[in-house]
Amino acid sequence: MEPSAPVGRVHSFQSLGAVDGPGLRYVVFFQGCPLRCAYCHNPDTWAFDGGQQVTVEDVLQKVRRCAPYIKKKGGVTLTGGEPLAQSGFAAALLAALSAEGYHTALDTSGAAGLETAAKVLEHTDLVLADLKFTTEEDYRRNTGGSLAHTLEFLDLCRKMGRPVWLRHVVVPGLNDGPAAAERLAALAKRYENVEKVELLPFRNLCIEKYAALGIPFPLQNTPPAGEEHLRPFYAALGHLAAPAK
């Protein structure tokens, strides 16, 4: 499933992103994801044979064009899809970026083997960790993945001393409410390396993508999350809570 490093498959690039880590960032969207999250906004990144094949040098050439804008206070973020599903390429790319002085961030659900994940984290300055649900049952039902595995990945981040921003999508009727907020806060507070929790209100702006791909969107009839859905999370998380950018 994973291409031989240092060649990988990338869905797309964003030259000056402002929502995937600190400052202005060059964002690399990896192709391929093992999860099927009910609220996923990027179903076009799921297939491992999609996107375009690129080398580390191909990406570096694109990033260098933005260096004057991103090097001082920003950096480069790998997202997806799931970057850890192409761990060899992700590790090689992050190592090359670090060598050229870029701040690096990894946006991931942790859905990969811990040994390969550790190699990627060696050159990662910041982890944007997607903590999707707070019970094993909800996690498996709505993503096909495992909360236990995600927590093992967070344990690895702590062991390696990597700062973490947790990201959590709040979906009305699915993972909202005071009980869910308290569970999220309890998990976040277990990790001293978690600097903040970014709360992302659910939106259904991806419906047209699903329609174009001929894929039913599981949450088509779910209303967008409002301030009333986020309020219990702010209360439970206290100083850790951060609104989406």
Side-chain angles (χ1 to χ4, degrees):
M1 181 171 65
E2 178 180 340
S4 299
V7 177
R9 300 200 74 86
V10 169
H11 174 270
S12 57
F13 303 92
Q14 184 180 8
S15 57
L16 294 175
V19 297
D20 294 299
L24 288 176
R25 310 191 66 81
Y26 195 93
V27 185
V28 184
F29 291 84
F30 276 49
Q31 182 71 36
C33 184
L35 301 183
R36 293 295 181 266
C37 301
Y39 53 70
C40 180
H41 272 207
N42 298 308
D44 44 338
T45 68
W46 290 350
F48 283 95
D49 59 354
Q52 56 185 302
Q53 193 172 68
V54 296
T55 65
V56 168
E57 184 60 28
D58 290 335
V59 180
L60 289 176
Q61 288 180 10
K62 292 177 179 292
V63 171
R64 288 171 188 143
R65 299 186 193 115
C66 296
Y69 306 100
I70 66 175
K71 252 197 172 180
K72 189 174 182 181
K73 296 183 178 180
V76 181
T77 299
L78 308 189
T79 184
E82 175 50 69
L84 291 184
Q86 299 184 59
S87 58
F89 179 64
L93 178 55
L94 289 169
L97 290 165
S98 294
E100 296 196 8
Y102 294 97
H103 178 276
T104 58
L106 175 70
D107 181 11
T108 177
S109 65
L114 296 185
E115 182 178 345
T116 56
K119 294 177 181 178
V120 178
L121 290 175
E122 286 179 6
H123 300 285
T124 299
D125 296 316
L126 173 66
V127 177
L128 309 175
D130 301 315
L131 183 56
K132 299 175 183 296
F133 292 88
T134 55
T135 71
E136 186 68 30
E137 180 183 1
D138 286 343
Y139 207 109
R140 289 187 179 276
R141 181 172 59 247
N142 294 296
T143 75
S146 167
L147 172 62
H149 182 81
T150 299
L151 297 181
E152 288 177 356
F153 173 74
L154 290 176
D155 289 338
L156 177 64
C157 291
R158 175 170 55 189
K159 180 180 178 181
M160 295 184 66
R162 296 298 180 262
V164 170
W165 293 2
L166 285 182
R167 307 181 114 182
H168 186 72
V169 179
V170 179
V171 185
L174 200 62
N175 64 353
D176 61 333
E182 292 293 342
R183 288 195 301 270
L184 178 63
L187 288 175
K189 292 172 183 177
R190 283 169 50 178
Y191 297 93
E192 65 277 2
N193 57 323
V194 169
E195 297 182 342
K196 65 178 178 178
V197 180
E198 292 188 322
L199 298 171
L200 309 172
F202 168 75
R203 299 287 184 265
N204 57 9
L205 302 177
C206 57
I207 290 178
E208 291 184 2
K209 278 188 182 182
Y210 280 82
L213 293 169
I215 302 172
F217 181 44
L219 303 182
Q220 182 168 341
N221 297 319
T222 300
E227 186 62 29
E228 68 276 16
H229 299 104
L230 299 180
R231 198 172 295 122
F233 290 86
Y234 288 124
L237 287 161
H239 72 280
L240 284 175
K245 293 181 181 179

